[in-house]
Amino acid sequence: MQLDCSDVREILWPQDRPRSLHPQEELARTHLAACAGCREFFGRDARLGRRLSLLGSGAMETAPEALQGRVRRELRDASPSTSSRRWRAWRSEVLAAAAAVTLLAGGLTLSQHFRDLTGPEKFAKDYRRTAVAQVVQPGLDPEAVTLFYERELGLRIQPVSLTEAKLSRATVCLLEGEKGSMVEYDYGGARLAHYRIPEQPEDRAVSSGIELRSRNGVQVVLWHDGAFEHALVSEIPQARLGRLAEESFVGR
């Protein structure tokens, strides 16, 4: 199967920020290696990211009002009724510009957004936020998921195999400024998300057992294994989720 530039840019963007694995990622990376135009596209995006990183130090001023207004008008007037490929290619460009304007105007970062969340709330909030944030991709290959996390996080994170659940999404999450993995399953028609957040050496502690919490109908099971903080999150009954965690996830 051949991918064109707009397909590749949609699959791989954003490269240096949290994103999800796409089933056609390897095809997209093969295209990227041979396409000067796509390499330049992602090079511009990386340069933009580096400029935005200066915001926290106060080294950059806010975007001019004229630029902010122009991007807002572009977003307001944009319509996906144009050709699908043209819309997808344009969307990648305007999303990058919109992100720049939002950050420049408000001086906020994603890590700051989650900074005040602690314990189970950070996982429940992210679980709710990602419910419609990205398209679920059924039929993901577990080996491809492991490779994705090795490339994105530098960690070997293998998804847990569940006979009664189908792997549906692999995402890099960002909680309280810390990157981690979120592997999602279709568990009998219900969403089931397994988070792993790497722990710093000074914070590592092995829990004596699991901790069950509930946040606005979202059930959260927490535990530690000495290397990661784990959370299993779903809307299935709490007791059932706790048993599933103990039987299939804890110790793996």
Side-chain angles (χ1 to χ4, degrees):
M1 178 180 179
Q2 293 291 328
L3 300 176
D4 64 18
C5 292
S6 62
D7 294 324
V8 170
R9 296 173 190 187
E10 184 169 2
I11 290 169
L12 297 181
W13 190 88
Q15 283 204 312
D16 60 349
R17 291 176 291 280
R19 64 185 189 86
S20 290
L21 171 65
H22 192 284
Q24 295 177 318
E25 173 145 344
E26 292 308 314
L27 285 176
R29 289 189 175 278
T30 299
H31 173 105
L32 178 62
C35 179
C38 285
R39 290 197 301 274
E40 173 58 24
F41 171 85
F42 285 110
R44 290 197 307 270
D45 185 67
R47 291 191 291 272
L48 172 62
R50 287 192 293 270
R51 289 177 62 83
L52 291 176
S53 69
L54 297 175
L55 285 171
S57 65
M60 293 179 64
E61 298 179 356
T62 59
E65 287 293 334
L67 175 59
Q68 295 182 38
R70 176 184 172 187
V71 174
R72 292 193 185 101
R73 287 193 298 273
E74 293 267 356
L75 288 170
R76 181 194 61 207
D77 298 337
S79 170
S81 61
T82 56
S83 70
S84 178
R85 292 189 185 279
R86 181 182 176 188
W87 166 250
R88 292 201 306 267
W90 179 88
R91 184 180 63 178
S92 292
E93 297 280 1
V94 79
L95 281 175
V101 169
T102 300
L103 290 170
L104 287 168
L108 297 177
T109 66
L110 190 57
S111 62
Q112 288 173 322
H113 175 71
F114 288 111
R115 183 170 294 167
D116 296 331
L117 300 179
T118 58
E121 181 61 31
K122 65 184 178 184
F123 296 109
K125 187 176 183 68
D126 189 74
Y127 176 86
R128 291 190 295 266
R129 180 184 64 81
T130 57
V132 295
Q134 300 173 24
V135 176
V136 171
Q137 300 285 353
L140 289 181
D141 178 1
E143 292 185 3
V145 172
T146 301
L147 178 61
F148 171 70
Y149 287 129
E150 286 182 341
R151 183 161 48 220
E152 296 292 321
L153 300 176
L155 298 169
R156 184 169 178 78
I157 296 176
Q158 296 176 294
V160 174
S161 177
L162 298 173
T163 57
E164 66 271 45
K166 297 179 180 178
L167 187 64
S168 60
R169 181 161 59 180
T171 298
V172 173
C173 61
L174 182 62
L175 301 178
E176 296 181 333
E178 298 293 333
K179 282 186 178 181
S181 67
M182 190 277 271
V183 176
E184 186 172 308
Y185 304 82
D186 179 341
Y187 184 67
R191 289 181 67 213
L192 177 71
H194 179 207
Y195 290 84
R196 290 176 182 150
I197 308 298
E199 294 187 304
Q200 299 301 317
E202 62 273 15
D203 297 327
R204 290 178 180 174
V206 179
S207 173
S208 59
I210 65 173
E211 179 183 352
L212 282 71
R213 298 291 184 89
S214 180
R215 291 293 186 273
N216 299 321
V218 176
Q219 312 305 324
V220 182
V221 181
L222 302 171
W223 71 96
H224 300 260
D225 64 8
F228 295 95
E229 177 185 12
H230 293 258
L232 195 63
V233 188
S234 184
E235 294 175 83
I236 67 176
Q238 187 180 76
R240 183 180 174 192
L241 186 65
R243 288 195 301 271
L244 179 64
E246 290 182 321
E247 294 169 0
S248 303
F249 288 87
V250 177
R252 296 198 182 187

